[in-house]
Amino acid sequence: MIPLQARARKIVANAVALSVILAIAPLCRAQKTQAIQAIQAPPSSLLAWRGLTVEKVEFQGVTQDRLDPLPGELPQQPGEPLDPARVRESLRRLYATGLYQTVEAAGLRSGRGVTLVFSGTPQMFLRRVNLEGIKDFRLASVVQGATQMQAGAAFFKENLPDAAGRIQQALQDNGFYRGQIASTQVYDVKDGLVDLNYLVTAGPAARVGGVAVQGDSGLSGRQFRKDARLKPGGKVNRNTVQHALRALRNHYNQQDRLAASVSLRSTQYVAPMNRLNFAFLAQQGPVVNIQVEGARIGAGKLKQLVPVYEEGAVDQDLLNEGERNLRAYFQDRGFFDVKVSHRPVVRDAQHVTALYTVDLGRPHVVDSVRVTGNRYFSDTILFERISVRPSTLLDWHGLLSQQLVNQDVASIKALYQSNGFTDVKVIPRITDSDVRGKASKEAHLRVVYTIEEGAQQRIGGYRIEGATPAQIARFQPELSATTGQPYSPAKLGQDRETVLTYYFSEGYSDADVSLFQQPEPGQPDRIDLIMTITPGRRTFVRNVLLSGIDHTRRSVVDQRIVLHAGQPLDQSAMLETQRRLYNLGLFSDVNTAIENPTGDAPYKSVL
């Protein structure tokens, strides 16, 4: 008989010999890769025990009820021979759940049997961020968002200093440079959740100090401060700089200095006086004048059409856009052949003119609008999609522009393509129908859309792969594309979204749907389709956990929750629950989140 102490030493030695450790730093991808690679080669100790019967598998650190049903799906199962490769793969599966920060496997040998123990440090997840000390709701929301702590995400204490730094920066961005921050954490070990509590004392808001300006601003220091509305001693907030820049740009725009530039170079906080000094860079630029030659147009309308006024800047793209807008404006008024061009005219360094030259040509009257070549669709259906209009008693010139013609062509083509005519062509022709000759003051136009329909393609075979008959029976009635119907890429896209929505509602958050299509052999006008579905792993609701209910009866909330434990994790049901709770009018904020969103654990809690 082996003495008791010797047996104990032997058990400990065996446990150490069998130990396979996987220690993965949660925030370092390189370390994670190295750790996973370390498992891929079975340790010699495991090779030595290969084939011994695994009598029992235990889990420590993360309880088995949180892991269920994964323990029954691990490659290494009790009652089977010990296989180092299966142990390694089991470790990978456990870590992939996201429920562990680190995980290891150890074994205790008893005769020809082994007890396998998976243990590790459990991963905690953030439930909510609570903020106290700030009464202003807007500022509180900004500060809370600055933590960048997302409900349901993995929680690491190492991230807290960075979060505190972002809170401090958010306070300073809103004018509070004397803010103080304290934080505590409350752990719910049972559900693996952490509440993060912040006590923030904002302190007094900083005041406007000195204002310096560099560059050719065209303003004295006193006038610059006045136009920027930076009153000495005024409170600093998150809008101070934006308002100052906007006010200065408005000042320059009113002087037609559309190329002026104003920017904030730096700020300097003077702690003893709680003052914030500002330094700006300003260039007033030349006076820019926009003129139109060859046509009459009001100053107000010109500012609407040439976007340099709205943007407060002058560049070639904005001037080109103004040219297009002017062309469309005059075409809408009957001058279909109008020509518009622009060029700069520089008088001196301080004065620049953007001159638009307009050649209106003769005004046009749209006598008629017709479609030809259409057999599949009637004229009535097509004219519902045509924007060009002939003249009437109320509209003498009618409605015609190149932009409208392009829109009509695109609209007619989309109609035909959605009904199987993939090669359809729509050719617009605009002809002069004026029989009175060039001496007439007005040109009379006829607009004809000639349609070359081409062959209509229909759906031949339509096969669905990757779904069970029961699943197909659920979503197939919602599909719009079926055998014999006109082939439509748009409808196929809708079908793909319909199938994805079904799988997402059934808890398959990683589902993917792909479509393969090819002409049917011997019948080029028929398209065979194969819809391939890859459902991925299914996720269920472990628990629905509520927090933040202080003054409302729990039953009032429970009645409006449409997602329950054991059901597939349906994010649309989460949004519906959120909508119903908002509709109560009792809550200022309702947030929903999934615990452990990136892990592949089969059951997850909804927060």
Side-chain angles (χ1 to χ4, degrees), residues 231-245:
K231 183 179 179 181
K235 283 186 178 182
V236 176
N237 57 44
R238 69 186 182 98
N239 295 319
T240 298
V241 172
Q242 294 179 0
H243 287 170
L245 294 175

Side-chain angles (χ1 to χ4, degrees), residues 126-138:
L126 185 66
R127 174 161 48 195
R128 63 184 296 128
V129 177
N130 297 311
L131 185 66
E132 296 183 3
I134 299 180
K135 296 181 180 180
D136 183 88
F137 180 78
R138 185 204 58 79

Side-chain angles (χ1 to χ4, degrees), residues 519-537:
E520 189 173 296
Q523 299 189 57
D525 293 341
R526 296 183 72 85
I527 305 296
D528 289 341
L529 301 174
I530 300 176
M531 177 183 286
T532 303
I533 301 170
T534 307
R537 193 176 184 86

Side-chain angles (χ1 to χ4, degrees), residues 7 35 38 49 77 209 216 225 275 292 340 357 369 404-405 441 451 474 477 491 515 563-564:
R7 292 179 60 191
W49 284 16
Q77 290 293 314
D216 180 20
R225 179 194 282 269
R275 291 289 191 271
V292 175
V340 183
T357 302
V369 180
L404 292 179
V405 171
K441 294 182 179 179
I451 301 172
R474 292 282 301 277
K491 289 183 179 179
L515 286 165
L563 195 63
H564 303 285

Side-chain angles (χ1 to χ4, degrees), residues 173-189:
D173 291 343
N174 284 268
F176 298 96
Y177 283 77
R178 294 182 176 178
Q180 296 181 350
I181 306 165
S183 67
T184 58
Q185 302 88 47
V186 178
Y187 291 84
D188 179 356
V189 179

Side-chain angles (χ1 to χ4, degrees), residues 56-70:
K56 187 178 182 181
V57 178
E58 296 179 353
F59 298 90
Q60 297 177 1
V62 178
T63 59
Q64 185 164 343
D65 64 310
R66 291 195 69 196
L67 293 170
D68 279 341
L70 183 60

Side-chain angles (χ1 to χ4, degrees), residues 127-199:
R127 174 161 48 195
R128 63 184 296 128
V129 177
N130 297 311
L131 185 66
E132 296 183 3
I134 299 180
K135 296 181 180 180
D136 183 88
F137 180 78
R138 185 204 58 79
L139 179 60
S141 178
V142 170
V143 171
Q144 192 171 43
T147 65
Q148 297 183 13
M149 296 286 194
Q150 300 296 325
F155 173 78
F156 302 103
K157 292 193 70 172
E158 296 84 354
N159 293 342
L160 292 179
D162 289 341
R166 289 190 292 269
I167 292 176
Q168 194 73 55
Q169 185 62 51
L171 290 173
Q172 293 180 7
D173 291 343
N174 284 268
F176 298 96
Y177 283 77
R178 294 182 176 178
Q180 296 181 350
I181 306 165
S183 67
T184 58
Q185 302 88 47
V186 178
Y187 291 84
D188 179 356
V189 179
K190 176 179 176 294
D191 292 314
L193 297 172
V194 179
D195 288 338
L196 184 56
N197 302 315
Y198 282 100
L199 177 60

Side-chain angles (χ1 to χ4, degrees), residues 464-479 498-499 502-503 506-508 511 533-536 538:
I464 299 175
E465 298 178 349
T468 66
Q471 291 171 338
I472 294 175
R474 292 282 301 277
F475 64 73
Q476 193 169 40
E478 304 296 326
L479 301 182
T498 297
V499 175
Y502 164 76
Y503 275 92
E506 292 295 315
Y508 297 95
I533 301 170
T534 307
R538 196 177 190 186

